[in-house]
Amino acid sequence: MDAHALRRQGWTISAIARHLGRDRKTIRAYLNGEHVPGQRRQSPDAFMPFLEYCRQRLADDPHLWASTLFDEVKGLGYEGGYSTFTRALRRYQVRPHCEPCHAATGRNVAVIAHPPGEEIQFDWLELPDPPEGWGVGEHAHLLVGALAHSGRWRAVLAESEDFPHLVQALDQVVRRLGGTARRWRFDRMATVCYPSSGQVTAAFAAVAKYYGVGVDICPPRRGNRKGVVEKANHSAAQRWWRTVPDALSVLQAQSGIDKLAVRMDDRRRSLDGLKVTVGELAAAEPLLDIPVRPFPAELEVERTVSPQCLVSFDGNLYSVPPGLAGAQVRVRHRLGEDYLDIATTGRAVIARHRRAPRGAGQTVRDAGHVIALEREVLAAFSDRAPCKNKVRRPPSEAALAEAERLRGQHAAGDPAERVVIDLSHYAAVADRLRSVPSPKEENTE
């Protein structure tokens, strides 16, 4: 209003700009009607090109995490920040309403102190409906370990939750964390303790002694006692497992969860008024060194021999003698050793190989197995022409004779065909009936 009033008094644009402390282009835009007082010009919304994609993804999965969706749109070219993205989701009301999940009741939660390097929390995460190519049944198994102080976590896929696979996954998790804390915390899993009493089993006590740690068991129905690893489970399930495609292999899936865990080390934390990241907190934790080799638990899995006489194990292929295609064998490996054995279901060892690195994709063949397989294949090879399938070959004399024999057996076995009707018997009965006088004839006499 001041600019228009001064302009009507004959002031120049430069004089008005100097008087009002504004730029000349701004004054000119207001005088020309290009800008409206009280309305700021807004830049184009960077979220709009991705609005329909976000609507479709949340329509398909209303409980998809915003952080997971943010990772996807970042890969599609979205350049905004996470807070801008979540504000846009709320502003455009992209997420559908879910009535069962809308209402939530709170509860009192105690603050539990976690000194640096004091505790690692472990938990199994069962992943439903894994890809069929994994061959693990209805659930895949992910062991998650989280440092209670910093919140850094790592996870390892395992074939099952039995004792050898637990020990193998534990060793790989602590190596990914860069060391071990002084205490390990578990819920009441049967491979660690007796669920009824919470007493650690003798087998797992030997594992804890080997790594030089103590074991703590959560009280019954106290899942919040290990809330750090529970939150890590939630993140792994929502930000990784929900988006795992069917064609992904186990090794590719393991690479994906490793990348997510490393990326989440950038989460911000506040410690005594200082802004730090999870990675910086974890790097400052005084972790204990771990043994060079894992605890020597004996791992045994069942496998099916392929037509090429190969057996898969830990992302590699190992040869067996020919003639076993389709047979069930057992692969035995003592953790920490350089060799593995392949045995029949009757425990007879049929092959022994040097173990290749996990997930290396190598094919380990024994020279004797290769020569024997080549000889068997060449011996079975034939240069005869294939049989013709458009020829007339009626049943032979031997087949016809066998068919007649079967027909005779069928006739002898049918009770209806064994009945013999003798007509002379019926004729004799009729003659006797005619010779007997009727009651009327006897009364007449």
Side-chain angles (χ1 to χ4, degrees), residues 228-239:
V228 179
V229 72
E230 293 288 353
K231 187 60 179 179
N233 287 350
H234 199 186
S235 299
Q238 296 294 334
R239 300 192 62 176

Side-chain angles (χ1 to χ4, degrees), residues 114-121 146-149 181-185 216 225-226 285:
H114 296 298
E118 180 66 22
E119 182 178 275
I120 297 180
Q121 300 175 3
L147 291 170
H149 173 72
R182 289 181 287 273
R183 310 290 299 181
W184 289 356
R185 179 170 292 279
D216 295 323
R225 185 62 184 82
K226 54 182 182 64
E285 288 200 55

Side-chain angles (χ1 to χ4, degrees), residues 35 120 239 285 288 341 348 352 399 425 429:
H35 288 179
I120 297 180
R239 300 192 62 176
E285 288 200 55
L288 304 178
D341 295 330
R352 182 176 175 85
H425 175 71
V429 172

Side-chain angles (χ1 to χ4, degrees), residues 292-351:
V292 177
R293 292 178 177 270
F295 179 80
E298 186 167 302
L299 192 69
E300 182 173 314
V301 294
E302 190 170 288
R303 291 291 187 266
T304 302
V305 181
S306 71
Q308 293 79 24
C309 294
L310 296 174
V311 176
S312 64
F313 179 71
D314 273 353
N316 300 290
L317 296 174
Y318 300 91
S319 66
V320 295
L324 295 173
Q328 297 292 319
V329 295
R330 297 179 181 273
V331 181
R332 295 201 301 261
H333 170 61
R334 188 177 294 276
L335 301 181
E337 291 188 356
D338 298 330
Y339 291 88
L340 58 85
D341 295 330
I342 303 177
T344 63
T345 54
R347 304 287 180 175
V349 177
I350 56 177

Side-chain angles (χ1 to χ4, degrees), residues 205-243:
V207 177
K209 183 178 180 181
Y210 182 81
Y211 288 94
V213 300
V215 179
D216 295 323
I217 305 298
C218 289
R221 297 175 293 279
R222 296 294 189 274
N224 57 339
R225 185 62 184 82
K226 54 182 182 64
V228 179
V229 72
E230 293 288 353
K231 187 60 179 179
N233 287 350
H234 199 186
S235 299
Q238 296 294 334
R239 300 192 62 176
W240 168 70
W241 183 248
R242 270 188 179 270
T243 58

Side-chain angles (χ1 to χ4, degrees), residues 11 18 59 65 132 136 168 172 205 230 233 235 241 265 267 277 281 294 296 299 302 348 372 377 395 398 412 418 421:
W11 285 40
R18 286 194 301 269
W65 275 21
E132 293 184 2
V136 294
Q168 184 185 41
Q172 294 178 13
E230 293 288 353
N233 287 350
S235 299
W241 183 248
D265 285 351
R267 289 171 293 163
T277 63
L281 280 177
L299 192 69
E302 190 170 288
V377 171
R418 292 200 301 267
I421 300 176

Side-chain angles (χ1 to χ4, degrees), residues 371-385:
I371 295 173
L373 182 62
E374 290 179 353
R375 288 177 178 174
E376 185 166 321
V377 171
L378 292 175
F381 178 76
S382 175
D383 57 356
R384 294 174 54 188

